[in-house]
Amino acid sequence: MSQIKVAIADDHPLFRAALTQAVQKSVNNAQVLEAENFQELIAIVEQHPDIELIFIDLHMPGNDGFTGLTLLQNHFPDIVVIMVSSDDQPEIIRKAINFGASAFIPKSANLTQISTAIDTVLEGGIWLPEHTNISADQHTAAEHQRLAKQLAQLTPQQYTVLANIANGRLNKQIAYDLNIKETTVKKHVSAILLKLEINNRTQAGLVFQQLMITSTENLQVDVQAS
């Protein structure tokens, strides 16, 4: 049996260790690679294109909400992604699945639950915490799934341009950052608007903001933790 490569991206060493233990329990001959921020994760994936499974922390450095999830799906569509977080509100779990995660593992999960989640996604299924109602808001789910498909249609550079637009960068600033011509940026912007079925940069920025954790979701998490 060939070796399976798994990447674990989380800024908490103890939780990375727990995930590593669960992976090794569930997957024979697994090679586990660790990252403590999103930039390290991307470097690892680029160095190991045969990675099959990634665990990514919702709030790890370099990852804002579900931007990391959708970037991974855009740049590396064949990799299975599992979201992990202590923020296990139903709205956040549903959002993770709607944007394409194969599982959402709360940090309160025990080793058996984590192993079950891994087994489930490797068999092509979706794993959620018990009693999670994934179909509570079908309209919002449909909108998120539609956006996920649209984002997947962008080229990696178009996705990067979109992220820069959402951060308020001008075309000339984006061109400088990416070391491309401003006319090339304009072509990317036109393609982005077409693929996202929107009319202007402002709408593009608002679309990308849907990938963030909203103030309402953060409030619910803070109330739960207090």
Side-chain angles (χ1 to χ4, degrees):
M1 179 178 177
S2 61
Q3 188 177 58
I4 295 178
K5 289 186 180 180
V6 179
I8 297 175
D10 192 294
D11 56 330
H12 296 92
L14 289 177
F15 195 72
R16 289 204 306 272
L19 287 175
T20 297
Q21 184 180 359
V23 169
Q24 292 173 340
K25 177 182 177 182
S26 301
V27 185
N28 293 327
N29 201 29
Q31 179 184 357
V32 178
L33 306 165
E34 297 185 18
E36 61 181 22
N37 59 60
F38 191 73
Q39 287 71 27
E40 283 186 12
L41 173 63
I42 293 301
I44 286 173
V45 177
E46 289 176 342
Q47 293 167 9
H48 301 270
D50 53 344
I51 285 175
E52 296 183 35
L53 177 63
I54 288 178
F55 294 82
I56 179 174
D57 183 5
L58 182 64
H59 294 299
M60 70 181 301
N63 177 41
D64 191 351
F66 301 101
T67 58
L69 170 63
T70 55
L71 185 148
L72 287 170
Q73 291 185 316
N74 177 272
H75 288 51
F76 313 101
D78 294 329
I79 298 178
V80 175
V81 181
I82 294 177
M83 299 293 300
V84 296
S85 181
S86 56
D87 297 345
D88 55 356
Q89 304 303 302
E91 295 82 2
I92 292 178
I93 295 174
R94 286 194 291 268
K95 205 169 184 179
I97 300 303
N98 292 338
F99 281 126
S102 293
F104 186 103
I105 300 177
K107 290 195 172 181
S108 59
N110 58 40
L111 184 60
T112 299
Q113 291 171 318
I114 296 173
S115 296
T116 300
I118 294 170
D119 291 339
T120 300
V121 302
L122 290 179
E123 291 174 359
I126 300 291
W127 187 91
L128 298 170
E130 193 174 4
H131 306 309
T132 302
N133 183 3
I134 194 63
S135 59
D137 187 345
Q138 294 185 353
H139 175 73
T140 300
E143 287 297 312
H144 288 163
Q145 291 164 5
R146 176 173 174 268
L147 174 56
K149 290 179 180 178
Q150 290 175 324
L151 291 172
Q153 293 174 4
L154 300 179
T155 66
Q157 193 162 63
Q158 287 169 358
Y159 185 98
T160 302
V161 170
L162 174 61
N164 276 272
I165 291 173
N167 287 329
R169 304 287 285 172
L170 301 175
N171 284 353
K172 61 181 180 181
Q173 294 172 318
I174 298 173
Y176 178 82
D177 292 341
L178 300 183
N179 193 28
I180 57 179
K181 295 180 179 179
E182 188 173 350
T183 53
T184 302
V185 175
K186 291 179 179 178
K187 290 179 180 178
H188 284 323
V189 172
S190 296
I192 291 167
L193 299 182
L194 181 63
K195 291 179 180 179
L196 297 184
E197 299 178 11
I198 53 180
N199 299 318
N200 54 56
R201 292 169 61 97
T202 300
Q203 290 178 335
L206 292 174
V207 164
F208 199 77
Q209 291 297 321
Q210 294 182 51
L211 303 176
M212 316 300 183
I213 301 297
T214 67
S215 58
T216 301
E217 289 164 341
N218 275 324
L219 178 61
Q220 290 173 333
V221 170
D222 292 340
V223 169
Q224 190 86 356
S226 61

